Amino acid sequence: MAAHTLHGGALCRKCARSAFAKQLSVPSRAFATSPRTQKHGNVNSFTPASNPQLDALLQEFRSQIFIPAHLSKVHRELIHKPSKHPILKGDEPFMVDVGDEKVQLKPLDPMKDEPSTRKGIAEILRLMKEPQDWDNLPLFLEELRIARRKSLPSIRKEQLARKACEGGRDDILMQCLRKTSTIDLAMKEVEFVCEVMWGLRVKPVQARWDDLTTEKALKNAEQVLELLEHREHSGDLPLRRKSGDPRLSPEVIGVVFELAAVRATRHQGGEDTDGKVATYARRLKDALNNTNRLASGNANTKLMSLVPMWHGYMLASKVLQSRDEKDWALGQLNELQGEVEDILRSSKETDAKHDTRRGVLAWEQVQDPSTDS
């Protein structure tokens, strides 16, 4: 029988296993299935996806990254250190309990066997094509945090928010944002929060601002404003009035303002019964007066920033009770109208994809008489 070395001594595989177990003062088989060896509880299991490619990629992450992250330090050394691999190569599989699951330990080279987190997440988002696929996102992000993988960059979080909402799963996005203790999806970058807010208005627009859809979107948008004050999101940072703080962003507040104005004009008898239109109008005014980051970026980005505010002011001017607030709304409406028309004119002349841009389509949608009260 071939000899193998454990801590400098020549041992066969069977003896190596026995010696390894004795070091831990537990029987070999008992050690292999002992709950003491777990670092965390159960590893999340993914629900069947709409395509085999997504299923395979999720399972690859689970077996190569997530399960090892749940193992004890001793067991991780077994699978990662070549000097300990002989213990795993016996005639019988080396089994351990991970939560309620029995897992066979096998040699693993992190450099060769682990999928790239950065590329893998991009591919997972690309493969999430059906609504049920998104049920796996919170499970995946929870395991990613347990495995201590790097936080998603802002551009990937923006992609996540856009795709989830366009796929009709804004509920999954909100679930991930709320689960701050187990999921790292912090709202610290204004670009990401803008994408979240834009995503929350997708369903109301598609539903032509019906009562229930608009009400739900408003509640979600208001919850985003509340979550921004939590330490895990932006609440641990001082207010940054001149550098794109999402808590002070006109683009962020503008969507909440728009949703409140739609609800008041279409579903509250044309009255601001709970005062939310006036509240968000004042908050938006303050944001516009205290930031220099309004409508930056390309034409599409500018339109996505301006359209909800224009729509909100157009509707709010019909329900605001204060003469000063009404005059402010009308003034902003005229100013924004000019800005939007200039951007549209320039975009149409220079952008070959002008007619398909989200900002352009959003402008056309709020011009539709059926979207007004």
Side-chain angles (χ1 to χ4, degrees):
M1 182 177 292
H4 298 273
T5 301
L6 183 67
H7 297 303
L11 298 172
C12 66
R13 289 192 182 101
K14 183 176 180 180
C15 295
R17 284 193 179 201
S18 177
F20 180 71
K22 287 179 180 178
Q23 292 172 16
L24 294 155
S25 301
V26 294
S28 141
R29 240 344 109 184
F31 167 75
T33 59
S34 171
R36 292 175 50 187
T37 65
Q38 302 169 21
K39 182 181 179 184
H40 301 282
N42 292 327
V43 185
N44 286 334
S45 295
F46 300 111
T47 60
S50 63
N51 59 86
Q53 295 86 358
L54 180 55
D55 276 329
L57 187 52
L58 290 172
Q59 292 307 317
E60 182 181 9
F61 268 87
R62 188 176 191 273
S63 62
Q64 305 296 72
I65 295 179
F66 299 156
I67 287 178
H70 282 249
L71 297 175
S72 68
K73 180 180 178 181
V74 173
H75 279 163
R76 289 200 309 276
E77 288 181 351
L78 269 181
I79 63 175
H80 288 150
K81 287 190 174 182
S83 62
K84 297 188 182 294
H85 287 174
I87 299 171
L88 305 180
K89 295 179 179 179
D91 297 331
E92 296 182 11
F94 196 104
M95 307 298 295
V96 297
D97 287 339
V98 180
D100 299 329
E101 181 180 2
K102 288 192 181 297
V103 174
Q104 181 182 355
L105 298 190
K106 297 179 180 180
L108 177 68
D109 184 342
M111 298 300 293
K112 295 180 179 179
D113 299 327
E114 290 184 0
S116 164
T117 303
R118 180 177 60 84
K119 294 180 180 178
I121 292 172
E123 183 67 3
I124 285 171
L125 292 178
R126 186 186 72 81
L127 291 170
M128 285 186 168
K129 299 177 180 179
E130 299 296 333
Q132 70 268 23
D133 294 338
W134 292 94
D135 291 331
N136 288 309
L137 182 66
L139 304 173
F140 180 85
L141 294 179
E142 285 177 352
E143 292 297 340
L144 210 61
R145 180 167 180 166
I146 290 173
R148 297 185 178 181
R149 294 291 154 148
K150 289 184 178 179
S151 301
L152 273 62
S154 182
I155 189 170
R156 195 64 64 216
K157 292 191 289 187
E158 294 165 40
Q159 180 191 15
L160 184 157
R162 175 178 178 176
K163 290 205 65 176
C165 292
E166 290 181 350
R169 296 310 305 269
D170 52 303
D171 60 318
I172 288 292
L173 174 62
M174 291 301 300
Q175 179 183 337
C176 292
L177 296 176
R178 285 192 294 263
K179 298 180 71 171
T180 54
S181 63
T182 58
I183 290 178
D184 186 3
L185 200 64
M187 294 187 290
K188 297 184 183 295
E189 308 91 350
V190 69
E191 293 82 5
F192 172 46
V193 184
C194 286
E195 196 65 65
V196 169
M197 286 300 199
W198 184 267
L200 293 179
R201 72 188 293 280
V202 168
K203 280 185 178 178
V205 170
Q206 292 175 341
R208 293 186 176 273
W209 309 103
D210 76 53
D211 188 2
L212 294 178
T213 309
T214 301
E215 179 71 28
K216 183 177 180 180
L218 176 58
K219 287 182 178 179
N220 283 337
E222 289 179 315
Q223 186 171 42
V224 169
L225 295 184
E226 294 174 6
L227 288 171
L228 285 172
E229 301 299 335
H230 291 196
R231 178 177 58 83
E232 295 84 356
H233 290 294
S234 290
D236 63 330
L237 302 172
L239 287 172
R240 309 181 303 279
R241 291 190 174 273
K242 299 296 181 180
S243 60
D245 191 313
R247 293 166 291 179
L248 300 173
S249 166
E251 297 95 326
V252 170
I253 301 168
V255 172
V256 194
F257 172 57
E258 176 193 31
L259 291 168
V262 169
R263 188 185 63 151
T265 54
R266 293 178 65 88
H267 308 301
Q268 292 182 325
E271 295 184 7
D272 185 19
T273 56
D274 54 9
K276 287 189 175 182
V277 178
T279 296
Y280 291 119
R282 288 190 290 270
R283 189 164 174 177
L284 181 55
K285 180 180 180 180
D286 180 67
L288 290 168
N289 287 335
N290 289 282
T291 184
N292 58 5
R293 192 200 174 280
L294 176 59
S296 60
N298 58 33
N300 180 59
T301 302
K302 291 178 181 178
L303 287 173
M304 290 174 64
S305 299
L306 297 176
V307 167
M309 284 186 276
W310 179 92
H311 191 211
Y313 278 124
M314 187 269 289
L315 298 175
S317 65
K318 303 175 183 179
V319 301
L320 289 171
Q321 297 300 308
S322 165
R323 172 51 57 185
D324 288 343
E325 290 177 343
K326 189 182 289 285
D327 288 344
W328 167 265
L330 290 171
Q332 288 298 303
L333 183 64
N334 291 332
E335 182 177 332
L336 290 171
Q337 178 87 27
E339 290 186 53
V340 169
E341 289 177 352
D342 288 343
I343 294 170
L344 286 170
R345 188 181 307 110
S346 175
S347 172
K348 194 168 185 178
E349 294 173 353
T350 60
D351 188 352
K353 297 183 179 179
H354 168 84
D355 293 335
T356 64
R357 298 299 186 188
R358 287 191 290 169
V360 175
L361 295 175
W363 177 249
E364 294 174 351
Q365 287 164 339
V366 297
Q367 301 306 301
D368 184 343
S370 67
T371 65
D372 297 337
S373 60

